Amino acid sequence: MRVLVTGFEPFMGSAVNPSQQVVERLQAAPPPGADFAFAVLPTVYYAASARLRELLDSVQPDLWVGLGQGGGAGLHVEQVGINLNHVRPGRADNAGNSPQDEIAAPESPDARFATLPVRALAEYLRGQGIPAQVSYHAGTFICNHVLFAGLDHAASRGLPLLGGFIHTPLLPEQAAALEGDLRPSMALDYLEYAIRTALGWLVTPTRTEGGPVALRKA
Amino acid sequence: MRVLVTGFEPFMGSAVNPSQQVVERLQAAPPPGADFAFAVLPTVYYAASARLRELLDSVQPDLWVGLGQGGGAGLHVEQVGINLNHVRPGRADNAGNSPQDEIAAPESPDARFATLPVRALAEYLRGQGIPAQVSYHAGTFICNHVLFAGLDHAASRGLPLLGGFIHTPLLPEQAAALEGDLRPSMALDYLEYAIRTALGWLVTPTRTEGGPVALRKA
Amino acid sequence: MRVLVTGFEPFMGSAVNPSQQVVERLQAAPPPGADFAFAVLPTVYYAASARLRELLDSVQPDLWVGLGQGGGAGLHVEQVGINLNHVRPGRADNAGNSPQDEIAAPESPDARFATLPVRALAEYLRGQGIPAQVSYHAGTFICNHVLFAGLDHAASRGLPLLGGFIHTPLLPEQAAALEGDLRPSMALDYLEYAIRTALGWLVTPTRTEGGPVALRKA
Amino acid sequence: MRVLVTGFEPFMGSAVNPSQQVVERLQAAPPPGADFAFAVLPTVYYAASARLRELLDSVQPDLWVGLGQGGGAGLHVEQVGINLNHVRPGRADNAGNSPQDEIAAPESPDARFATLPVRALAEYLRGQGIPAQVSYHAGTFICNHVLFAGLDHAASRGLPLLGGFIHTPLLPEQAAALEGDLRPSMALDYLEYAIRTALGWLVTPTRTEGGPVALRKA
């Protein structure tokens, strides 16, 4: 079984990105049970999705788990990626792009569901004492852009990919650096443990052979 | 110009539903500028969407605005309806249905974007001093079910419908009846004013003739 | 029975203040059942509290209800005012004061409990379908400054005052003018209704004669 | 320098309490720089405060840091304890007590400010990348009860105590066990690190000799 795990470069002025740090830790000591490939994507619309498509084509993973920095409490396992790029005016990606209500892939559908067993994964993690929940909104920034792009690439080419995305909380030092009331955060050691637990569950044969997923087959 | 405005019956033990009350007020004194039809849908999966499809076929509206009770602060103009029914275990719709991760329309895509000018509407309202925002998650209950169903019906039949959905806050008496810290609410008179303002903007000819919308055409 | 109701001038760049607008409406048509006096205080540390003390001495009210703009959902009936002035660096009151962890009245205690029947009032309102809750933190800006000052003045002089403070939500136009996700708001007409309901309850003889309050006597 | 650090037993059905777990870890490996005493208090009104007073009298600490389970994001360094016991009807402490708007100490003032350098501590932690903030509401349960009792005991006897309270987030497994959207949490290892950092700063001689504190002396 081949597994691709991706993270992102820091963005919007932050010096760090929890998804990058977790990917680097996983890369230094890959989990057992599968052949893992890792990549840190640029936090740039289209450049990120192009790089992901290259990776999906070259690595040919059975499973793709995208990781990205969110701002919630606990892990958010994303149900859906939408075909829409949008950033609030005045903000931009790392290349200065600031799209407004832009359809990312004009020939593609409005959205794609993750093909990971989203709810089962969130419930497994929660059963292990790890804060995780299903999320139905991955934002309109690069995380969502890449989630949609990966799922759309696999669907349009008929790739048997289990793909999905997990948004992480901020790192504690990121939360501490923001003004005003504190936002939730998760320590890197714990985040690494949580992601390793998620991957360990996902690469268990019964998860994928049993057809964990495709909602349409349910 | 024909306009269909729908609301919902009360659900989950509440005696009232702001969307029903607004629809009844609008019906008693329809806004100017268009031919309005009104309906209150049952808060029941599939029954609600079947009734909406009948209305879309019989009324043949140019514009459909679905209203439903949400729990946010201000109006949430929904960007996307997803093809997924889900209620938290232990809860149910008004007919006792409690679907879990159920694809609503197996032959249809995963999601549909609203064809209303979502952001322009939200920004217009905000410019008028009315709290409104774009939302990317209409939930997985009957509101979302109906939003997806209406958009999917129009898209699959090529109907030139501008369709979309606005989630309202709770009514003050609903917020007052809940335990714990207060959730946001909106007084019925103000809600009626806000919805009338939204409809007034939507039925202005330049809104629809000018091609308010279709994101893909932008 | 004499009742003093106070509001505040707009602050921090806002053109309006819901507490001022409610006071002006009440002044134009005072509630029945008591002799009402109204005032709009400057949103300035010490100037506001000095003005309040003058009013308490000249009006000699049996009941003082301070109103002020908060940012919560529904009315917050404050339990306690603290003897501490603090604004986040970079912000200031209307005279440019920006105190940091400043004891307002060095000879006075750290805090004073409201002498209104705080919980009974909140529960009465909630029973009337009006969103209201007890709050234990009135902030560290002028609202709290005035709440503490009024209570401390009455306590130190042995005045038989029932005093307290109600924080209102933002007005809809204030919420609409802020960036990002919407904060709760309350329409002015409804706010006026809610405050009139609160005052109507408070001036009922059994409320005050019956010893509505003093927690210590309970 | 003598330092007393207290935590609490689990309550309201939870099997664990982060404050207890941190205290046990600190006890197993006390921080350097001071003589530390540790205790886990019963989560019972009056029993907890009585036990704390005994400890303050027997240990005679220069510094007391109470720890307790909160539900916020990051550490909340409490500014004030109030002389009021209240639990929502239907809830109770570990002995079944369910006080409603009860004055804890009829002869004592309404509230007491913490004598720790509250803001300086929060800002120091934040500068170290640890999420911490000043809080002005420690609740009305046993945490606040004990905070008030400890401060009141020291103030009424003239003890030269620097006292205060830090609310911790939930542990991840506690957040994972709750229904609905996730609440913030903090992993135990990180929490231990954060509390050790706080204690390390507090026991630095210049913190206490320099008179970090007493707001009234500022």
Side-chain angles (χ1 to χ4, degrees):
Chain A
M1 185 181 192
R2 281 185 301 274
V3 181
L4 174 65
V5 180
T6 58
F8 279 106
E9 295 173 350
F11 58 89
M12 288 185 184
S14 187
V16 294
N17 185 315
S19 68
Q20 178 180 37
Q21 298 199 3
V22 167
V23 163
E24 289 172 353
R25 285 186 170 206
L26 293 170
Q27 193 157 22
D35 292 328
F36 280 88
F38 301 97
V40 174
L41 305 174
T43 305
V44 176
Y45 285 107
Y46 301 109
S49 47
R51 177 78 184 112
L52 176 64
R53 280 190 293 265
E54 290 171 6
L55 287 162
L56 293 175
D57 290 345
S58 61
V59 173
Q60 298 193 304
D62 303 288
L63 175 69
W64 164 56
V65 178
L67 302 176
Q69 171 189 319
L75 301 183
H76 282 216
V77 186
E78 300 293 346
Q79 172 66 50
V80 58
I82 63 174
N83 186 1
L84 188 70
N85 301 330
H86 183 77
V87 291
R88 197 180 298 174
R91 299 193 178 186
D93 70 13
N94 287 357
N97 300 303
S98 189
Q100 306 289 312
D101 277 340
E102 175 183 86
I103 297 292
E107 306 303 318
S108 295
D110 290 349
R112 296 282 192 187
F113 282 154
T115 46
L116 286 182
V118 167
R119 191 168 314 276
L121 173 58
E123 290 181 354
Y124 171 77
L125 291 170
R126 219 142 157 164
Q128 297 296 116
I130 295 172
Q133 68 176 80
V134 175
S135 165
Y136 296 93
H137 175 35
T140 56
F141 197 50
I142 322 291
C143 290
N144 168 76
H145 178 76
V146 150
L147 172 58
F148 177 78
L151 296 169
D152 192 50
H153 186 70
S156 64
R157 304 209 169 187
L159 305 180
L161 177 75
L162 289 183
F165 201 93
I166 299 176
H167 265 114
T168 76
L170 299 176
L171 292 170
E173 60 263 39
Q174 293 178 300
L178 293 172
E179 285 201 352
D181 281 342
L182 290 168
R183 295 172 57 188
S185 60
M186 186 178 277
L188 182 58
D189 285 350
Y190 188 85
L191 177 60
E192 179 187 356
Y193 157 73
I195 297 298
R196 285 186 185 275
T197 303
L199 294 173
W201 185 80
L202 285 165
V203 303
T204 300
T206 52
R207 296 288 113 63
T208 49
E209 290 176 2
V213 191
L215 282 169
R216 272 157 213 282
K217 300 173 188 167
Chain B
M1 187 180 190
R2 281 186 300 274
V3 181
L4 174 65
V5 179
T6 59
F8 280 106
E9 294 173 350
F11 59 89
M12 286 184 184
S14 187
V16 294
N17 186 316
S19 68
Q20 179 180 36
Q21 298 199 4
V22 167
V23 163
E24 289 172 354
R25 286 185 169 206
L26 293 170
Q27 193 156 23
D35 292 328
F36 279 89
F38 301 97
V40 174
L41 306 174
T43 305
V44 176
Y45 285 107
Y46 301 108
S49 47
R51 178 77 185 113
L52 176 64
R53 280 189 295 264
E54 290 170 6
L55 288 163
L56 292 176
D57 289 345
S58 61
V59 173
Q60 297 192 303
D62 304 288
L63 175 68
W64 164 55
V65 178
L67 302 175
Q69 171 190 316
L75 302 182
H76 282 215
V77 186
E78 300 293 347
Q79 172 66 51
V80 58
I82 64 174
N83 187 359
L84 187 71
N85 302 330
H86 183 78
V87 291
R88 198 180 296 173
R91 301 193 177 184
D93 70 14
N94 287 357
N97 299 306
S98 190
Q100 305 289 312
D101 276 340
E102 175 183 86
I103 296 292
E107 306 303 317
S108 295
D110 290 350
R112 295 280 192 190
F113 282 154
T115 45
L116 286 181
V118 168
R119 192 171 311 277
L121 173 58
E123 289 181 355
Y124 171 76
L125 291 170
R126 220 142 156 165
Q128 298 295 115
I130 295 172
Q133 68 175 80
V134 176
S135 165
Y136 296 93
H137 174 36
T140 57
F141 198 50
I142 322 292
C143 290
N144 168 75
H145 178 76
V146 151
L147 172 58
F148 178 78
L151 296 170
D152 193 48
H153 186 69
S156 65
R157 303 206 171 190
L159 306 180
L161 178 74
L162 289 184
F165 200 93
I166 300 175
H167 265 113
T168 77
L170 300 175
L171 292 170
E173 61 264 38
Q174 293 179 299
L178 294 172
E179 285 202 354
D181 282 341
L182 290 169
R183 294 172 59 186
S185 60
M186 187 178 277
L188 182 58
D189 285 349
Y190 189 85
L191 177 60
E192 180 188 356
Y193 157 72
I195 298 297
R196 285 186 185 274
T197 303
L199 293 173
W201 185 80
L202 285 165
V203 302
T204 299
T206 53
R207 294 290 112 61
T208 50
E209 290 176 2
V213 193
L215 280 169
R216 272 158 213 283
K217 299 172 188 167
Chain C
M1 186 182 192
R2 282 185 299 275
V3 181
L4 173 66
V5 180
T6 58
F8 280 107
E9 294 174 350
F11 58 90
M12 287 185 184
S14 187
V16 293
N17 186 316
S19 68
Q20 178 181 34
Q21 298 199 2
V22 167
V23 164
E24 289 172 355
R25 286 187 170 206
L26 293 170
Q27 194 157 21
D35 293 327
F36 279 88
F38 301 96
V40 175
L41 305 174
T43 305
V44 176
Y45 286 106
Y46 300 109
S49 48
R51 178 78 184 111
L52 176 64
R53 279 189 295 264
E54 290 170 6
L55 288 162
L56 293 175
D57 289 344
S58 60
V59 174
Q60 297 191 303
D62 303 288
L63 175 68
W64 164 55
V65 178
L67 302 176
Q69 171 189 317
L75 301 182
H76 282 217
V77 186
E78 300 294 346
Q79 172 65 52
V80 58
I82 63 175
N83 187 359
L84 187 70
N85 301 331
H86 182 78
V87 292
R88 198 180 297 172
R91 300 195 177 184
D93 70 14
N94 287 358
N97 299 306
S98 189
Q100 306 288 314
D101 277 340
E102 175 183 87
I103 296 292
E107 305 303 317
S108 295
D110 290 349
R112 294 282 192 190
F113 282 154
T115 46
L116 286 181
V118 168
R119 191 170 312 278
L121 173 58
E123 289 181 354
Y124 171 76
L125 291 170
R126 220 145 158 162
Q128 296 295 312
I130 295 172
Q133 68 176 81
V134 176
S135 165
Y136 296 94
H137 174 36
T140 56
F141 197 50
I142 322 290
C143 290
N144 168 75
H145 178 76
V146 151
L147 172 58
F148 176 79
L151 297 168
D152 192 49
H153 186 71
S156 63
R157 303 208 170 188
L159 306 179
L161 177 75
L162 289 184
F165 201 92
I166 300 176
H167 265 113
T168 76
L170 299 176
L171 292 170
E173 61 264 37
Q174 294 178 299
L178 294 172
E179 287 202 351
D181 283 341
L182 290 169
R183 295 171 59 186
S185 61
M186 185 177 278
L188 181 59
D189 284 350
Y190 188 85
L191 177 59
E192 179 189 354
Y193 158 73
I195 297 298
R196 284 186 186 274
T197 303
L199 293 174
W201 184 81
L202 284 166
V203 301
T204 299
T206 53
R207 294 291 111 62
T208 50
E209 290 177 2
V213 196
L215 281 169
R216 271 157 215 283
K217 300 172 187 166
Chain D
M1 186 182 192
R2 281 185 300 274
V3 182
L4 173 65
V5 180
T6 58
F8 280 107
E9 294 174 350
F11 59 89
M12 288 185 183
S14 187
V16 294
N17 185 315
S19 68
Q20 179 179 37
Q21 297 198 4
V22 167
V23 163
E24 289 172 354
R25 284 186 171 206
L26 293 170
Q27 193 157 23
D35 292 328
F36 279 88
F38 301 96
V40 174
L41 305 174
T43 305
V44 176
Y45 285 106
Y46 302 106
S49 47
R51 178 77 184 111
L52 176 64
R53 281 189 293 265
E54 290 170 5
L55 287 162
L56 292 175
D57 289 345
S58 61
V59 174
Q60 296 191 303
D62 303 288
L63 175 69
W64 164 55
V65 179
L67 302 175
Q69 171 189 318
L75 301 182
H76 281 217
V77 186
E78 300 294 347
Q79 172 66 49
V80 57
I82 63 175
N83 187 359
L84 187 70
N85 301 329
H86 183 77
V87 292
R88 197 180 297 173
R91 300 194 178 184
D93 71 13
N94 287 357
N97 300 305
S98 189
Q100 306 288 312
D101 277 339
E102 176 182 87
I103 297 291
E107 306 303 318
S108 296
D110 290 348
R112 293 282 192 189
F113 283 154
T115 45
L116 285 181
V118 168
R119 191 170 313 276
L121 174 58
E123 289 181 355
Y124 171 76
L125 291 170
R126 220 142 157 165
Q128 297 294 311
I130 295 172
Q133 68 176 81
V134 175
S135 165
Y136 296 93
H137 175 35
T140 56
F141 197 50
I142 322 292
C143 291
N144 168 75
H145 178 77
V146 151
L147 172 58
F148 177 79
L151 296 170
D152 193 49
H153 186 70
S156 64
R157 304 208 170 189
L159 305 180
L161 177 75
L162 289 183
F165 201 92
I166 299 175
H167 265 114
T168 76
L170 300 176
L171 292 170
E173 60 264 37
Q174 293 178 299
L178 294 172
E179 285 201 355
D181 282 341
L182 290 168
R183 293 172 59 187
S185 60
M186 187 178 276
L188 182 58
D189 284 350
Y190 189 85
L191 176 60
E192 180 188 355
Y193 157 73
I195 297 298
R196 285 186 185 275
T197 304
L199 294 173
W201 184 80
L202 285 165
V203 302
T204 299
T206 54
R207 295 289 112 61
T208 49
E209 291 177 1
V213 192
L215 281 169
R216 271 157 214 281
K217 299 172 189 166

